[in-house]
Amino acid sequence: ALLLALGAGHADAANVLAPFSADYQASYMGMQAEGKMTLAAQGDDRWKYSLSIRNQLADISQSTVFDEHQGRLRPLSGNDRATALIKKRNVDAVYDWNSGQATWTGDLKPERRGPVQLKQGDMDALLVNLAVVRDLADGKPLNYRLVDEGQEQVTVNGTPREATKVVRRTDKREMYVWIVPGMPVPARILQKEDGRETINLVVRSISP
């Protein structure tokens, strides 16, 4: 879901964005799935960051169009779409920095449509995953309502790698992200809802 994460850290201007496509070995609701994460240039200094997960049970995709403003990654619009059995969800987000408001439309309750006041550094939940990779590499604090839980080992292409595990929690959802130095994407993403594992992504390959 597109959640607003407040108090985002700074991104180093020297840490230049570059397109990538990463394949993940994934699971959704305990069943094997295919996962893909991409970053693509959209022109006019805009980028599109996307995540998709698919198996027999579900087809899930999230994307954020963003720019870089004063050294920060700034969301401009987003989409959160999911088809799972008989349940469907399609939500669009607009981050209007001129008016300082974020609004949502689609399959969500009226009280969750906003507007929500934007503050400098605000990001949506998907974009935080990209920013934390950059900020961790630059040695900057991870101020995204995330908790740094230290180093753990994850296996990437059969090789154990040291990773920093960070956690973002809301009332019903927990998101665990493992970051390996030098990798432009998270090595692993684990999501739990109401204590039950829903999504597990482990990177399989990365290409420019």
Side-chain angles (χ1 to χ4, degrees), residues 7-9 11-12 21-22 24 29 39 44 47 59 65 85 94 100 115 126 129 166 173 176 185 197-198 205:
D12 193 331
S21 177
Y24 285 81
M29 301 301 289
L39 178 64
D44 297 326
W47 296 80
D59 184 347
V65 174
L85 299 177
V94 174
L126 183 63
N129 292 333
V166 292
R173 179 175 297 170
Y176 301 81
V185 301
E197 180 181 313
T198 54
S205 64

Side-chain angles (χ1 to χ4, degrees), residues 141-163:
L142 309 179
N143 297 321
Y144 319 93
R145 291 185 180 175
L146 291 170
V147 179
D148 188 344
E149 295 194 348
Q151 296 287 319
E152 290 190 5
Q153 275 200 347
V154 295
T155 300
V156 180
N157 291 335
T159 303
R161 301 283 299 274
E162 290 295 318

Side-chain angles (χ1 to χ4, degrees), residues 4-11 69-75 97 118-124 127-128 131 135 143-144:
L4 200 64
L6 305 181
H10 296 267
H69 181 72
Q70 297 180 350
R72 301 173 186 262
L73 304 184
R74 183 177 68 169
W97 293 95
L118 287 171
K119 298 180 181 179
Q120 186 71 14
D122 286 358
M123 289 189 289
D124 69 21
L127 191 54
V128 168
D135 287 354
N143 297 321
Y144 319 93

Side-chain angles (χ1 to χ4, degrees), residues 4 6 100-104 112-119 122:
L4 200 64
L6 305 181
Q101 292 184 331
T103 55
W104 293 261
R112 301 195 63 183
R113 295 175 181 265
V116 171
Q117 182 179 359
L118 287 171
K119 298 180 181 179
D122 286 358

Side-chain angles (χ1 to χ4, degrees), residues 48-80:
K48 186 175 183 179
Y49 183 44
S50 304
L51 170 66
S52 64
I53 302 168
R54 294 182 175 89
N55 67 5
Q56 302 96 315
L57 294 179
D59 184 347
I60 299 170
S61 66
Q62 296 181 8
S63 65
T64 300
V65 174
F66 69 95
D67 65 6
E68 192 166 2
H69 181 72
Q70 297 180 350
R72 301 173 186 262
L73 304 184
R74 183 177 68 169
L76 303 174
S77 63
N79 176 260
D80 183 1

